[in-house]
């Protein structure tokens, strides 16, 4: 339990510590800070309600119904159409390339399947005939362990 005097001393010490820490931090950071470049902003010519009413254009700056007020968009439409055609062409090329990769991959897969479809892998009896598959007994013993007991009684 703290007495009021101890509490007051503690609060005073904490506030002094915080103030000194804040000052140390500011001293270490101050060289890195710089003042922003201030620019002069001119005063607005609109200063009264009448000026606001005078500058207000409810229909926008250029009315839509005036012939020739809209910019010519035929050039942009042509560029957009050309871009769409280019994107479609790239999509077709990518599709053909994907199909080529699939075909090549299936050819590789067929070769792998053909190599894996040897009699050694599918016929258990063939694994017992080392004369047909040199090294088959060695492989079998390496993978599955010895087939015959090693210590004879």
């Amino acid at each position: 339990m703290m007495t009021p005097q101890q509490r007051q001393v503690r609060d005073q010490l904490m506030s002094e510590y915080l103030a000194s820490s804040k000052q140390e931090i500011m001293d270490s950071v101050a060289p890195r800070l710089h003042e922003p470049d201030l620019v002069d902003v001119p005063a607005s010519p609109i200063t009264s309600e009448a000026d606001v009413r005078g500058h207000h254009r409810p229909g926008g700056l250029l009315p839509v119904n005036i012939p020739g007020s809209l910019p010519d968009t035929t050039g942009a439409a042509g560029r957009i159409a050309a871009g769409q055609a280019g994107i479609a062409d790239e999509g077709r090329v990518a599709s053909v390339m994907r199909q080529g990769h699939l075909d090549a991959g299936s050819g590789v897969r067929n070769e792998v399947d053909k190599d894996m479809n040897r009699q050694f892998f599918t016929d258990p009896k063939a694994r017992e005939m080392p004369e047909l598959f040199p090294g088959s007994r060695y492989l079998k013993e390496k993978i599955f362990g010895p087939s015959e007991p090693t210590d004879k009684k």
Side-chain angles (χ1 to χ4, degrees):
M1 190 69 144
M2 291 176 56
T3 64
Q5 182 184 5
Q6 290 173 332
R7 186 172 288 118
Q8 183 181 11
V9 169
R10 182 199 64 181
D11 291 345
Q12 180 66 26
L13 289 173
M14 285 175 55
S15 65
E16 288 175 8
Y17 170 76
L18 291 175
S20 68
S21 296
K22 180 180 176 184
Q23 189 59 42
E24 287 175 12
I25 292 171
M26 288 303 288
D27 291 342
S28 67
V29 174
R32 296 186 205 155
L33 298 177
H34 65 283
E35 291 293 323
D37 294 332
L38 299 176
V39 295
D40 291 328
V41 178
S44 173
I46 302 172
T47 57
S48 67
E49 182 180 342
D51 291 337
V52 172
R53 289 184 192 277
H55 282 84
H56 178 63
R57 303 220 184 337
L61 295 177
L62 289 174
V64 178
N65 58 1
I66 296 176
S69 64
L70 294 177
D72 184 23
T73 59
T74 55
R79 286 192 301 248
I80 290 171
Q84 288 174 336
I87 290 172
D89 289 343
E90 288 174 7
R92 284 190 290 275
V93 167
S95 176
V96 168
M97 289 180 68
R98 265 193 306 275
Q99 187 60 43
H101 289 304
L102 289 174
D103 291 345
S106 67
V108 170
R109 185 74 208 160
N110 286 339
E111 289 294 319
V112 169
D113 288 344
K114 186 175 91 176
D115 286 343
M116 292 299 290
N117 195 18
R118 302 279 188 222
Q119 195 175 8
F120 176 80
F121 294 105
T122 57
D123 186 12
K125 295 270 189 221
R127 291 186 211 127
E128 300 297 327
M129 297 184 283
E131 63 276 357
L132 291 177
F133 301 99
S136 64
R137 180 162 294 174
Y138 169 76
L139 283 175
K140 180 181 174 191
E141 288 178 357
K142 181 106 172 135
I143 294 171
F144 301 108
S147 58
E148 299 172 6
T150 53
D151 54 297
K152 302 187 181 190
K153 294 183 181 181

